């Protein structure tokens, strides 16, 4: 059997560990051949591929990014996209696909499966917002990077008696902000799941200054104030209809400076959270997902996605995988609130 592998959407530490595990077990245990499709769905759409064998996956376990490249191409937005994919798979003798991606990439995989393409999915996103799995790989790395940044910001904030606002990624889920904020000892954490009251945030900041320490405010890029609109950098939509988020941190710092009279600065962590080597947790999870995915291929269990439930790797229907956005429950936010302003 000849299997195509692709990685789609925003890149994420651990993608290469999945590719490595899929290929290593696929070749050594099942005797499969592989082809790597480049740049997400653009690869099978335009027939762009590269060889993928044991040699190509040597040494990639600790490497960030993806050796296959990625894109946010949506074949369902392109005339004749599905037919082109089917034709290119047939041309290259590809029997089945392993698609590694988030909500959008797996959404495409779901529809292709319904149209007869043999596909198995692997979930990835630093945002950890896929309902069907307890964790996605990449999230732990992003949280650790943000936590280290917050640790460093504490000391410089204190030297200058400033407020430091740290804007983190996560799209419409606050998982990165919540975990990095708790781990880094932030004094306020603001999430998309709960509109914030800017006066209350300013009060927390004042209170923290009274302790002779400086406040660190962690804000998720998708967080919004009670009144007014979310601040957007760019209102353009991508091929999946997502608006590019960002800018709330700068707005917040300006508001806090005006309200407290204390200097406030913003640090936007941006793509630093997605780059570089994965943590041990993410390497192990990504490896286990890869092994689980190639087993699903071997079983002919098409239309499934591997997922983490507790400590087990399970299979769920691709259709269920993307149905629900996993957001932060209010009880988790309440735990963090104990530390606000102190
Ligand atoms: O979904 C992962 C993610 O990093 C989000 O946290 C962020 O909003 C988005 O991707 C950024 O996408 P891009 O790299 O295309 O700007």
């Amino acid at each position: 059997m000849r299997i195509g592998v692709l990685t789609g959407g925003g890149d994420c530490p651990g993608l290469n560990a999945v590719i490595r595990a899929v290929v290593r077990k696929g070749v050594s245990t099942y005797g499969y051949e592989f082809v790597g499709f480049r740049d997400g769905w653009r690869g099978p759409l335009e027939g762009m591929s590269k060889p993928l064998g044991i040699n190509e996956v040597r040494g990639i376990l600790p490497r960030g990014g993806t050796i296959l490249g990625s894109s946010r191409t949506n074949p369902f937005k392109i005339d004749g996209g599905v037919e082109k994919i089917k034709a290119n798979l047939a041309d290259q003798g590809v029997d089945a696909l392993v698609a590694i991606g988030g909500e959008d990439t797996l959404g495409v995989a779901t529809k292709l499966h319904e149209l007869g393409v043999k596909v198995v999915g692997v979930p990835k996103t630093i945002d950890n917002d896929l309902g069907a799995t307890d964790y996605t790989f990449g999230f732990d790395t992003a949280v650790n990077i943000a936590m280290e940044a917050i640790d460093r910001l504490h000391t410089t904030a204190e030297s200058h008696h400033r407020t430091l606002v740290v804007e983190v990624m996560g799209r419409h889920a606050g998982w990165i902000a919540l975990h990095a904020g708790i781990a880094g000892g932030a004094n306020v954490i603001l999430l998309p799941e709960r509109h914030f009251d800017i006066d209350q945030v300013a009060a927390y900041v004042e209170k923290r200054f009274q302790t002779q320490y400086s406040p660190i405010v962690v804000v998720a890029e998708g967080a919004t104030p009670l009144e007014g609109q979310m601040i957007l950098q760019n209102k353009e939509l991508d091929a999946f209809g997502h608006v590019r988020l960002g800018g709330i941190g700068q707005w917040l710092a300006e508001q806090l400076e005006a309200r407290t009279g204390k200097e406030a600065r913003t640090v936007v962590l941006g793509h630093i959270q997605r780059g570089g080597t994965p943590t041990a947790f993410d390497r192990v999870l990504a490896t286990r997902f890869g092994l689980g995915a190639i087993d699903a291929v071997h079983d002919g269990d098409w239309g499934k996605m591997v997922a983490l439930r507790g400590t087990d790797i399970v299979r769920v229907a691709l259709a269920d995988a993307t149905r629900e956005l996993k957001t932060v429950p209010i009880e988790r936010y309440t735990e963090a609130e104990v530390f606000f302003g102190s």
Side-chain angles (χ1 to χ4, degrees), residues 8-333:
D11 72 341
C12 174
L15 284 169
N16 287 325
V18 180
I19 298 168
R20 170 179 173 268
V22 165
V23 173
R24 289 282 288 268
K25 185 162 187 183
V27 172
S28 62
T29 307
Y30 299 127
Y32 295 154
E33 278 177 25
F34 288 89
V35 57
F37 282 110
R38 291 176 186 270
D39 300 346
W41 291 113
R42 193 186 296 147
L45 194 64
E46 297 178 13
M48 298 186 323
S49 64
K50 61 188 261 186
L52 192 62
I54 299 277
N55 280 344
E56 284 74 24
V57 300
R58 285 218 188 278
I60 67 170
L61 174 64
R63 234 167 97 182
T66 159
I67 59 163
L68 298 177
S70 192
S71 75
R72 296 195 189 277
T73 304
N74 183 351
F76 287 92
K77 286 277 156 76
I78 291 163
D79 265 354
V82 175
E83 291 67 34
K84 283 183 192 156
I85 288 183
K86 285 185 172 176
N88 284 327
L89 294 183
D91 271 2
Q92 303 210 14
V94 172
D95 303 295
L97 284 175
V98 173
I100 311 164
E103 195 194 344
D104 301 329
T105 306
L106 297 179
V108 170
T110 308
K111 289 192 205 157
L112 286 176
H113 166 67
E114 285 158 5
L115 295 169
V117 177
K118 292 175 176 167
V119 57
V120 165
V122 177
K124 78 75 238 190
T125 167
I126 63 164
D127 303 338
N128 199 38
D129 59 356
L130 288 178
T133 182
D134 288 353
Y135 284 97
T136 46
F137 63 86
F139 170 66
D140 186 63
T141 306
V143 167
N144 274 283
I145 291 167
M147 179 196 73
E148 272 176 34
I150 296 166
D151 285 350
R152 288 172 188 277
L153 292 171
H154 273 292
T155 60
T156 175
E158 272 147 30
S159 306
H160 292 271
H161 314 291
R162 283 173 177 150
T163 302
L164 277 174
V165 175
V166 189
E167 183 182 304
V168 298
M169 283 185 165
R171 226 196 274 276
H172 302 298
W175 292 108
I176 298 177
L178 182 78
H179 281 230
I182 292 176
N187 310 107
V188 186
I189 303 170
L190 304 173
L191 310 182
E193 287 83 352
R194 186 145 130 188
H195 296 304
F196 61 85
D197 176 352
I198 185 67
D199 293 322
Q200 175 67 69
V201 179
Y204 285 137
V205 163
E206 296 272 22
K207 197 167 162 226
R208 172 72 172 175
F209 273 123
Q210 282 159 21
T211 68
Q212 307 307 318
Y213 289 95
S214 291
I216 303 283
V217 179
V218 173
V219 59
E221 62 181 356
T224 49
L226 276 181
E227 69 273 48
Q229 290 290 303
M230 193 186 299
I231 313 296
L232 300 173
Q233 233 175 31
N234 181 337
K235 288 192 175 155
E236 272 173 39
L237 302 183
D238 67 18
F240 288 93
H242 300 299
V243 77
R244 190 176 299 161
L245 295 170
I248 190 70
Q250 184 56 35
W251 179 85
L252 198 59
E254 284 162 16
Q255 296 292 317
L256 291 174
E257 190 166 302
R259 283 173 159 80
T260 64
K262 298 265 190 352
E263 192 181 8
R265 299 283 186 91
T266 309
V267 176
V268 180
L269 293 183
H271 292 88
I272 290 172
Q273 294 158 97
R274 289 209 326 232
T277 190
T279 59
F281 179 90
D282 282 339
R283 293 182 200 191
V284 173
L285 181 58
T287 298
R288 295 185 71 208
F289 275 173
L291 298 174
I294 202 64
D295 287 344
V297 167
H298 183 68
D299 293 344
D301 206 358
W302 313 118
K304 293 288 169 60
M305 179 192 90
V306 289
L308 182 71
R309 291 277 166 80
T311 55
D312 295 333
I313 304 296
V314 299
R315 293 176 199 166
V316 297
L318 265 175
D320 294 336
T322 51
R323 192 163 289 146
E324 200 190 329
L325 187 75
K326 185 176 67 190
T327 52
V328 175
I330 197 68
E331 318 82 74
R332 293 295 312 276
Y333 192 64

